[in-house]
Amino acid sequence: MDFQRKRVPSSEKNQQLQSQAISEYTLTRFDYLIDKIETAEFIQTPFKHLEILQFFTDADFAELLACQEIAIPTAANDEELFDHLLDRGYKIIPFPGSTASRQEYLAWHQNQTEGDRYHPTCEGFGVTLRLIEPISTFLQELDAFLRGDAFNAAIAKKFNINLESCSTDCGIQKYLDGYEITPHPDVRFKALTYMVNANPNPDSATQQHHTHYMRFSDKRRYVETLWSGNQDIQRCWEPWEWCETEKVQSVNNSIVIFSPNNDTIHAVKATYDHLAFQRTQLYGNLWYKNRPAVQKAEWTDLDVFANMTTRMANADPEKPIQKNKMSAIQPDEQSLVAHKTL
């Protein structure tokens, strides 16, 4: 008798492959991080996400902060700070809210002229540096773990994402004073993002450089609805005043993970002295390989209140208002027309 092989649904197959990737991975000192992700419960406010406090063990986190790439010597000025960072394997990278030009940043940071900004919704810009080649053995092992199949399979599985349909990127990053990304939910082709606070400043929780997790104000909630109903329109940055902060990720050794959607509003504005300590994160993403074409729309296109005001201001007061054709019909005729169209 011939037996047909049972067909496994693609979603179930993806879960099986990701579980296999996790189980076949060589054990490392960081495997407990996968366990924490697998057992963590989702938080629904202000949007669906994971937040895990005490992500690393105390011993591992202390060793992480002690690495020479994390604990940078205090600099006398911005020029010396760049030298310290570059000497330890960091590289300036193109990144939202940042300039990739050292000289442009130095000139702006010295004067901070109001006209210089990364985006119309921002007040300025910062610099983002990524550690390209870790020197410390601890960071080399951690970097390999975060880039490995087991970790990425675990976070993908947690959010029901097919890892095979994604590419990955991650790294240790430092963000200098002025770095700003105004409220936004992330672009449509980002499948997942995570951020671990690894700040060397023992007083980092009080500093003004942490990620805000937000929601649209009631007046602007229509933007989320518009994005939901128009998948071909790219999501964009919004002004700070359009949103309200629900919580701030200020706790050191904490991780937040979420899969971008129309409501995953978050933002950062770094205003702090970076010469002694820098805002530092383990940062990573999953990116969809398939990226359908989308239309670009800026926040000004979505500002219905400003657009209405502009139209009213530009209206010709001498031009008569066009009445709706139905309103010109007598009540009994209007009822008859409505009846015939049912």
Side-chain angles (χ1 to χ4, degrees):
M1 181 181 293
D2 294 331
F3 291 92
Q4 290 186 339
R5 180 177 296 177
K6 182 180 179 181
R7 186 175 184 274
V8 180
S10 58
S11 59
E12 183 179 338
K13 185 177 181 180
N14 292 332
Q15 292 285 333
Q16 291 175 354
L17 290 173
Q18 288 168 189
S19 297
Q20 182 179 355
I22 297 171
S23 63
E24 292 181 352
Y25 186 72
T26 304
L27 295 178
T28 76
R29 66 183 291 180
F30 301 114
D31 287 343
Y32 68 90
L33 300 178
I34 292 177
D35 296 334
K36 288 192 173 187
I37 290 170
E38 289 178 336
T39 58
E41 295 186 2
F42 284 108
I43 301 170
Q44 302 297 334
T45 303
F47 51 80
K48 182 180 178 181
H49 67 285
L50 294 180
E51 182 177 29
I52 305 173
L53 306 180
Q54 293 295 111
F55 188 50
F56 290 93
T57 63
D58 290 343
D60 277 351
F61 195 64
E63 188 170 351
L64 189 160
L65 295 185
C67 291
Q68 61 177 304
E69 302 95 322
I70 305 298
I72 305 297
T74 299
N77 51 52
D78 289 347
E79 284 277 15
E80 188 174 70
L81 175 60
F82 275 113
D83 291 340
H84 287 333
L85 291 168
L86 298 178
D87 288 346
R88 283 159 179 76
Y90 284 91
K91 180 181 178 181
I92 298 172
I93 61 172
F95 200 79
S98 308
T99 176
S101 168
R102 173 175 176 169
Q103 294 307 317
E104 182 181 20
Y105 178 76
L106 290 172
W108 173 81
H109 200 233
Q110 181 177 359
N111 302 311
Q112 296 198 20
T113 55
E114 188 173 341
D116 297 328
R117 55 183 67 189
Y118 173 83
H119 187 273
T121 58
C122 297
E123 293 186 354
F125 53 83
V127 167
T128 301
L129 301 99
R130 175 170 286 194
L131 182 61
I132 304 301
E133 296 183 2
I135 303 169
S136 305
T137 301
F138 180 92
L139 292 185
Q140 290 175 351
E141 294 177 355
L142 178 58
D143 184 68
F145 173 79
L146 295 176
R147 295 179 186 278
D149 291 340
F151 177 76
N152 286 290
I155 58 177
K157 181 180 179 182
K158 187 71 176 183
F159 285 83
N160 197 29
I161 295 170
N162 176 13
L163 184 59
E164 291 186 335
S165 68
C166 299
S167 59
T168 65
D169 90 90
C170 67
I172 295 173
Q173 297 188 171
K174 286 182 177 284
Y175 310 79
L176 303 189
D177 177 50
Y179 169 71
E180 182 180 7
I181 52 173
T182 58
H184 68 292
D186 278 336
V187 291
R188 294 188 182 276
F189 49 81
K190 182 183 284 191
L192 180 144
T193 190
Y194 67 84
M195 295 162 280
V196 182
N197 282 350
N199 295 300
N201 185 352
D203 194 35
S204 65
T206 66
Q207 300 300 303
Q208 300 300 313
H209 57 49
H210 298 292
T211 305
H212 291 238
Y213 298 99
M214 316 177 78
R215 67 176 183 86
F216 278 115
S217 66
D218 291 341
K219 182 178 180 180
R220 301 292 180 175
R221 194 68 58 84
Y222 68 87
V223 177
E224 184 180 323
T225 303
L226 184 147
W227 285 333
S228 298
N230 297 272
Q231 299 295 316
D232 60 336
I233 295 180
Q234 185 60 280
R235 299 186 287 248
C236 60
W237 291 19
E238 313 295 337
W240 283 93
E241 59 268 23
W242 284 24
C243 303
E244 300 169 352
T245 297
E246 290 284 327
K247 72 175 182 180
V248 179
Q249 185 187 355
S250 60
V251 177
N252 224 11
N253 193 17
S254 66
I255 184 173
V256 168
I257 314 174
F258 62 88
S259 178
N261 208 327
N262 301 306
D263 62 345
T264 53
I265 309 297
H266 57 290
V268 181
K269 184 177 181 181
T271 305
Y272 75 109
D273 181 0
H274 58 212
L275 296 180
F277 304 102
Q278 303 80 42
R279 178 183 194 257
T280 308
Q281 286 190 332
L282 312 182
Y283 173 78
N285 303 293
L286 301 182
W287 300 93
Y288 289 117
K289 296 175 183 177
N290 182 29
R291 301 183 178 185
V294 291
Q295 301 178 57
K296 185 177 181 180
E298 296 294 347
W299 66 275
T300 48
D301 300 316
L302 308 181
D303 191 351
V304 297
F305 300 104
N307 293 336
M308 288 172 60
T309 301
T310 300
R311 285 198 301 271
M312 293 174 65
N314 294 335
D316 185 352
E318 302 298 326
K319 187 176 181 180
I321 299 175
Q322 294 291 327
K323 292 185 178 181
N324 186 297
K325 291 182 179 180
M326 289 293 291
S327 65
I329 302 176
Q330 296 299 319
D332 55 334
E333 294 180 276
Q334 185 170 342
S335 300
L336 181 61
V337 171
H339 176 73
K340 288 182 178 180
T341 57
L342 291 178

